[in-house]
Amino acid sequence: MANSLIFVDLPSDDPSAAGKFYAEVLGWENDPRPEGVFHRMVPGGFFKNKDGSDSQIGNLHLGINDAANMRPHPDPAPQAPFKLATDGRKPRVWILLDDDEKPEDVLKRAEDRGATILWRKHYWAEFNGLNHAFADPWGNEIILWEKGGDSPDVPADYTRE
């Protein structure tokens, strides 16, 4: 496939703490490369085939980069801007939850580690998914996604669109 998405970087003013946050909240491997400068978060596993078996395609990784010196860049000196974006819309990262993972548990782990809950219990019929969201301590927005299934049983306390 042409122009395949292979990686997404999240800015942080503390990549070590952000790496620890995602390891504890989502259970990902925190791979510092090097520590405090860039952390590759490794979810592990492979995308699934329609029959549920593993495909040959490994899951995407997520990078956490130091906002004061985003690498790579052709100039070895840090390049502006040097701070986190705090106002306005930012990219969102969508995380498909495992079938055995409860969104309430992920939200609790995130909130206990400084995240802000943006919403809970929403159903988006257009893409047939239940979703919840938080902003990590660095302001990055994370959407937790659960597939609705063939005949979704959307709980009464969920908002809908």
Side-chain angles (χ1 to χ4, degrees), residues 15-16 33-39 64-66 69 71:
S16 296
R33 303 187 61 173
E35 174 73 36
V37 176
F38 180 83
H39 287 242
I64 299 175
N65 225 319
D66 185 355
N69 189 9
R71 309 307 312 162

Side-chain angles (χ1 to χ4, degrees), residues 21 25 106-117 120:
F21 175 89
V25 171
V106 176
L107 292 170
K108 172 107 172 71
R109 290 193 302 267
E111 194 170 32
D112 287 351
R113 290 161 177 81
T116 301
I117 304 303
R120 301 173 190 266

Side-chain angles (χ1 to χ4, degrees), residues 94-159:
W94 298 68
I95 307 297
L96 178 62
L97 292 177
D98 291 337
D99 291 339
D100 59 346
E101 183 77 77
K102 294 179 181 167
E104 299 84 18
D105 294 344
V106 176
L107 292 170
K108 172 107 172 71
R109 290 193 302 267
E111 194 170 32
D112 287 351
R113 290 161 177 81
T116 301
I117 304 303
L118 301 175
W119 72 80
R120 301 173 190 266
K121 301 180 178 183
H122 182 69
Y123 176 67
W124 194 8
E126 182 69 24
F127 291 97
N128 190 24
L130 305 146
N131 55 89
H132 321 263
F134 65 86
D136 73 13
W138 303 272
N140 299 298
E141 293 184 11
I142 308 301
I143 312 297
L144 303 176
W145 190 264
E146 300 173 277
K147 292 179 183 177
D150 292 335
S151 298
D153 182 19
V154 180
D157 62 341
Y158 273 58
T159 56

